[in-house]
Amino acid sequence: MPLRLGDDAPDFTAETTEGTVRFHEWLGDGWGILFSHPADYTPVCTTELGAVAKLKAEFERRNVKVIGVSVDPLDSHHGWVSDINETQNTTMNFPLIADPDKSVASMYDMIHPNEDDKATVRSVFVIGPDKKVKLTLTYPASTGRNFAEILRVIDSLQLTAYHQVATPVNWEDGEDCIIVPAVTDEEATEKFPRGFTTIKPYLRYTPQPNK
Ligand code: BEZ
């Protein structure tokens, strides 16, 4: 059964390039990203892992920990990490799970047999501090993911979690947000001191509250 939004993110213990990780304990009370790679020494993943390493400060600023998973064993991961550092001009700074028995991949339904019954697709799970799944995303093996978009979604999720606003189509950081329907006009007046604009009773814009 695939994981859906709001489901509990399965816990696991796994060997990684940074030692043994007990997933929920490792996440602590912050946010997490778990993302899968078809296999080691594959070209697209090499670029993705390098790009994610370079975004470390962006993830830290948002209290997000990142962990990758690939079904190859740890010794293979270590060799690949050297290649990533060399070719992407970076230093890997987050753990990569070795999942040769595919236990993590199976738990998170990352193997899609119509694509490949041995390797994972390019899955992304964003996990909230409550250990619930907040975002699922599945890309084909041949398409590298857009981590700017993943950061954008995390910003949106955190605005909803902490400020009770949603984000409109193509929203970018700094643009106006939408007050969630659960907030009444009276509450909005108190909660959003910079005011709000009512286009329709269900469509109310306010400046981004954390800017
Ligand atoms: C990869 O880098 O994982 C990949 C590239 C082309 C086709 C399929 C996978």
Side-chain angles (χ1 to χ4, degrees), residues 96-123:
L96 190 56
I97 296 166
D99 192 32
D101 68 359
K102 302 182 180 63
S103 57
V104 175
S106 304
M107 237 179 254
Y108 279 82
D109 195 38
M110 291 165 162
I111 296 186
H112 295 200
N114 291 340
E115 285 291 311
D116 186 326
D117 58 7
K118 291 185 283 303
T120 55
V121 289
R122 261 176 231 292
S123 299

Side-chain angles (χ1 to χ4, degrees), residues 38-39 42-45 122 141-142:
T42 48
V44 173
C45 312
R122 261 176 231 292
S142 52

Side-chain angles (χ1 to χ4, degrees), residues 3-8 126 132-137:
L3 285 171
R4 290 166 302 189
L5 302 187
D7 284 351
D8 291 326
V126 173
K132 303 275 188 202
V133 173
K134 305 295 182 189
L135 167 93
T136 66
L137 183 152

